[in-house]
Amino acid sequence: MEFNLADLFEIAVDAVPERTALIAGDERRTYHELNDRANRLAHHLLDPNSGLALKTGEAVAIYSWNRAEWLEAEIAIYKARGVVININYRYVIEELRYMLENSDAVAVIFERAFAPLLTEIYQDCPKVRQFIVIDDKSSDSDAEIATALTALKAKTYEAVMADASPEQDFAPRSADDRYILYTGGTTGLPKGVIWRQEDIFFAALGGGGFNQPPIVKPEELRERILAAEPIVDVINAPMMHGGGQWTTFINFFRGSCIALNCDHHFSAERILRLAEREKAFSIMIVGDAMARPIADAIADSSTHYDLSNLFLIGSGGAIMSRAVKEQLRALVPGVIVSDSFGASETGAAGTVMDFDGPAAGPRFTVSEKINVLNEKLLPVKPGSGEVGLLARSGNIPLGYYKDEAKTAATFVIDPDGMRWVVPGDYATIEDDGTLNLLGRGSACINTGGEKIYVEEVEAVLKAHPDIFDAVVVGVPDERFGERVAAIVTTRNNTPVDLIEVQEFCSSSLARYKLPREIHLTEEIPRTAVGKPDYRWAKRIATG
């Protein structure tokens, strides 16, 4: 049987057309309304007279903050059998140029405020045939943006929707239609992870519902939806991250409603009022960076929030600290606090609830598709304490887009002929089958759910005229989990100013990648193969 994301969404629409699917700021969409608008955009993308005429498998980039149009566009691209390219709205010019070039995007659907950045690079991206600007009335009077839109010859999102058909009369689709999610690579450059849509449905989107057997034919999804109690899930993760997309479609595939955080800056108070107003069943966050402010806001005795309908606070993308989880449990009696982990290459890999034992550390219950392999690609013995690499079999990606070497290193065949994805996370297996996640083998930094690859930051630092050498590590941060620390040697051992270094780096790095502290040293030790000694660097940075 064929499992295609657009087909599955249309089954949900047919089951509960008048049920609310999406709350995004002041916008509300029923399943029927969301589907109608996605149909219109899909027809525009496919129209041979539109100037685009999207072909099966071609890529369309979405470059926007969270908003209703992000999801309309995502669904429309799937309906048209295109590939969604997730652009991080924090990227600076060089990162944006790389993304459009590497992904072979033929169209960009973007928020008006990003027009000036696009005009800096669009001539370097000849494969882009069309730009579509999402309306944003707040910036209509901005002369720079107006000039940029003219240069891009951008079509207006609402105008192309108005001229297109709302009919659901598309050609048949396939389980092999592509889902690509860009994630960071070991060199710091984003990598496109290629999934079949059927595989991402079963690996990351619940396969028709978590805590129950996966469906075996698409038509069963309708039965599951009609049998499930609809809920409201407040989602704070950005749609340009896998966690945001996956949580959203998990809810769509159970006929529930998502209340999307569309603020450009995180406000715990606004999120809690949203949860209160919409009688939210769950709030999905990203680690302590969101959990700690939420806990502090609830603890504020001068304010009261009615969270009597709240059942779950869940984190994905970054693990919450035990102290914050326990604080939330105490503040909202009866609420379940959970962490989930996974990766762009594995999908949803495991969950830890807030009961005694697993709450003490990053131990997760996992599916039968997850294991820990040793260097010979054989499973480690449970309870032995042997450290191996987290691996997943079954529904896994095809590889990395345009990167055969990285694909060969990450997707491996064991001695029995089983294919595994091994993204680089070290772990052990306990006697009870739970997985103890130790961390990424590389020196990846996770700050508030954003992954930072140190080689990229080091390369920019070493381009500074006063910096001779640099090594970058993550150090503990009370709110964001980790922050970026740089250990540098300078020419003539002269001090450097942190603010000045940040300003220098900001032309090449997104703000969240900038060093938050600098430690000056006379020499940076390196290994026999020339790599920095990160253990030494961590000791220096943490004092």
Side-chain angles (χ1 to χ4, degrees):
M1 304 298 293
E2 297 278 306
F3 291 87
N4 175 279
L5 298 184
D7 291 344
L8 292 164
F9 179 75
E10 290 169 1
I11 289 172
V13 174
D14 181 65
V16 289
E18 301 308 319
R19 190 177 288 177
T20 302
L22 171 64
I23 301 165
D26 295 330
E27 301 289 328
R28 301 178 84 92
R29 304 273 194 274
T30 65
Y31 275 86
H32 169 73
E33 290 167 340
L34 183 56
N35 190 58
D36 180 280
R37 287 174 63 83
N39 285 342
R40 289 178 181 274
L41 182 57
H43 276 296
H44 169 79
L45 298 176
L46 291 167
D47 186 353
N49 299 314
S50 69
L52 180 57
L54 188 71
K55 300 179 181 64
T56 298
E58 286 191 317
V60 179
I62 305 178
Y63 182 27
S64 169
W65 295 85
N66 278 4
R67 56 189 303 154
E69 291 87 349
W70 214 113
L71 286 164
E72 291 173 355
E74 182 176 15
I75 296 166
I77 295 165
Y78 297 153
K79 285 174 174 282
R81 302 192 68 187
V83 175
V84 174
I85 302 300
N86 52 309
I87 303 290
N88 192 323
Y89 47 68
R90 295 178 174 179
Y91 280 161
V92 296
I93 286 175
E94 289 305 316
E95 295 164 315
L96 180 60
R97 178 186 285 111
Y98 167 81
M99 282 291 297
L100 294 182
E101 290 177 343
N102 184 262
S103 67
D104 296 319
V106 300
V108 182
I109 299 172
F110 67 98
E111 197 152 338
R112 183 183 295 268
F114 299 134
L117 277 177
L118 286 168
T119 58
E120 295 286 332
I121 63 166
Y122 79 102
Q123 292 180 329
D124 299 328
C125 305
K127 291 184 179 180
V128 178
R129 303 196 293 269
Q130 189 169 103
F131 292 91
I132 300 174
V133 58
I134 300 171
D135 293 337
D136 180 0
K137 304 301 182 185
S138 65
S139 56
D140 277 349
S141 61
D142 192 306
E144 180 186 12
I145 291 176
T147 300
L149 293 175
T150 299
L152 295 171
K153 299 179 181 178
K155 294 180 179 290
T156 303
Y157 186 89
E158 291 298 332
V160 303
M161 298 270 280
D163 292 338
S165 169
E167 295 300 316
Q168 192 165 286
D169 53 359
F170 303 100
R173 308 178 185 105
S174 169
D176 291 325
D177 287 352
R178 299 295 188 250
Y179 172 91
I180 293 182
L181 184 65
Y182 267 81
T183 185
T186 56
T187 63
L189 296 174
K191 298 259 190 291
V193 183
I194 312 168
W195 291 81
R196 295 172 62 251
Q197 287 199 10
E198 179 169 289
D199 289 327
I200 196 68
F201 174 66
F202 287 106
L205 307 181
F210 287 101
N211 301 318
Q212 55 187 320
I215 61 177
V216 297
K217 56 183 180 178
E219 293 77 10
E220 291 181 26
L221 187 65
R222 177 186 174 87
E223 301 168 15
R224 292 274 177 98
I225 289 171
L226 293 175
E229 187 72 24
I231 64 171
V232 176
D233 188 0
V234 176
I235 296 180
N236 291 284
M239 289 299 106
M240 52 82 173
H241 277 187
Q245 295 180 33
W246 297 351
T247 307
T248 295
F249 277 83
I250 288 168
N251 278 282
F252 284 163
F253 293 153
R254 72 184 309 277
S256 290
C257 173
I258 68 157
L260 187 61
N261 180 5
C262 297
D263 292 342
H264 292 190
H265 301 284
F266 183 77
S267 167
E269 292 77 11
R270 284 176 58 85
I271 289 302
L272 291 168
R273 289 302 179 206
L274 174 62
E276 179 182 54
R277 184 178 70 245
E278 302 299 337
K279 296 180 170 54
F281 176 88
S282 54
I283 300 176
M284 303 309 294
I285 59 175
V286 183
D288 282 359
M290 295 182 184
R292 190 177 293 277
I294 285 175
D296 290 345
I298 297 173
D300 184 352
S301 60
S302 66
T303 308
H304 173 72
Y305 302 96
D306 181 1
L307 302 176
S308 57
N309 206 59
L310 191 65
F311 178 79
L312 171 70
I313 298 175
S315 176
I319 298 171
M320 289 181 282
S321 66
R322 183 176 183 177
V324 172
K325 290 170 72 175
E326 291 179 346
Q327 184 182 10
L328 286 170
R329 278 195 298 172
L331 290 167
V332 191
V335 72
I336 291 177
V337 183
S338 73
D339 277 306
S340 60
F341 86 95
S344 302
E345 296 92 341
T346 63
T351 303
V352 58
M353 297 299 188
D354 57 1
F355 45 75
D356 290 337
R363 284 178 58 189
F364 295 83
T365 57
V366 296
S367 75
E368 71 279 2
K369 303 291 186 182
I370 303 293
N371 213 327
V372 177
L373 305 181
N374 62 23
E375 59 184 11
K376 296 180 180 179
L377 303 181
L378 298 174
V380 302
K381 183 179 179 182
S384 66
E386 181 181 0
V387 175
L389 285 166
L390 173 72
R392 180 175 187 142
S393 61
N395 299 107
I396 62 175
L398 300 173
Y400 293 101
Y401 189 62
K402 299 194 318 190
D403 195 331
E404 293 181 3
K406 180 67 173 173
T407 296
T410 306
F411 298 88
V412 299
I413 307 294
D414 72 15
D416 294 326
M418 177 75 74
R419 185 170 181 265
W420 297 85
V421 56
V422 185
D425 295 291
Y426 283 90
T428 61
I429 293 285
E430 306 297 324
D431 282 323
D432 60 3
T434 58
L435 182 145
N436 185 27
L437 192 63
L438 303 177
R440 184 59 58 100
S442 65
C444 176
I445 299 170
N446 188 328
T447 178
E450 294 280 5
K451 294 180 181 178
I452 303 169
Y453 290 85
V454 299
E455 294 92 342
E456 182 186 18
V457 183
E458 289 166 357
V460 175
L461 282 169
K462 284 184 277 191
H464 188 284
D466 295 327
I467 294 177
F468 178 75
D469 200 2
V471 59
V472 169
V473 294
V475 297
D477 185 273
E478 183 174 86
R479 178 175 178 186
F480 294 103
E482 288 185 293
R483 63 179 180 272
V484 179
I487 298 92
V488 305
T489 60
T490 61
R491 303 178 194 284
N492 302 318
N493 292 323
T494 56
V496 289
D497 178 74
L498 175 62
I499 301 301
E500 190 275 329
V501 171
Q502 289 176 333
E503 290 176 352
F504 173 85
C505 294
S506 65
S507 63
S508 300
L509 298 172
R511 185 168 182 80
Y512 68 88
K513 298 179 183 179
L514 300 179
R516 302 300 170 183
E517 58 188 69
I518 292 180
H519 303 266
L520 189 63
T521 184
E522 294 184 358
E523 182 182 6
I524 294 176
R526 293 184 176 270
T527 66
V529 294
K531 295 184 178 181
D533 185 339
Y534 286 103
R535 292 184 179 180
W536 168 87
K538 183 80 77 170
R539 291 196 300 271
I540 295 296
T542 56

